[in-house]
Amino acid sequence: MSAYSRTLTLSSAAALLGPFLLALWAPQAVAETGNAQSQAQQGEKIAEQICTTCHRVPDEGGAPVGPEFGTLAERSDWTAQQLQQILNTEQHEDAVPASKLQLEAVASYLNQLGN
């Protein structure tokens, strides 16, 4: 099996298992944390686990397919609704589905990066 085939297989497995694994811990963890700092920390963890398939996350690396999170953070004041609209586009059709709480956490992380 070539390295390319292994990468696709691992990416496919991550895409399939990601939503189930995150569904077990991320919404609860985000719901239990009341402040923006904790929510941003949860968003960073979610971004590291899911988004690095295509995006670079500061200090964690990632694939250089999509814009880096540092660049995304410069764009605007992110909301979960904006992130959901982006995830609904064709270029994100293979993206791991995320709950509203997960998207709120990632938005909080992006906003923290932009400050």
Side-chain angles (χ1 to χ4, degrees), residues 30-50:
V30 172
E32 290 176 357
T33 59
N35 64 51
Q37 178 70 22
S38 296
Q39 189 177 35
Q41 289 171 341
Q42 291 299 320
E44 181 178 14
K45 290 177 186 177
I46 293 166
E48 289 169 2
Q49 292 182 351
I50 295 177

Side-chain angles (χ1 to χ4, degrees), residues 1-12:
M1 182 182 290
S2 72
Y4 180 73
S5 297
R6 274 189 300 246
T7 301
L8 289 178
T9 302
L10 291 174
S11 295
S12 299

Side-chain angles (χ1 to χ4, degrees), residues 45-102:
K45 290 177 186 177
I46 293 166
E48 289 169 2
Q49 292 182 351
I50 295 177
C51 305
T52 54
T53 303
C54 297
H55 299 274
R56 288 186 190 266
V57 175
D59 301 326
E60 293 300 324
V65 177
E68 295 183 17
F69 263 51
T71 301
L72 292 173
E74 295 172 4
R75 289 188 180 179
S76 66
D77 189 22
W78 288 97
T79 66
Q81 183 179 7
Q82 287 173 318
L83 293 175
Q84 186 61 61
Q85 289 171 346
I86 291 169
L87 289 175
N88 289 340
T89 62
E90 186 177 326
Q91 69 192 33
H92 286 93
E93 65 186 357
D94 293 331
V96 175
S99 72
K100 183 177 182 205
L101 287 174
Q102 291 166 334

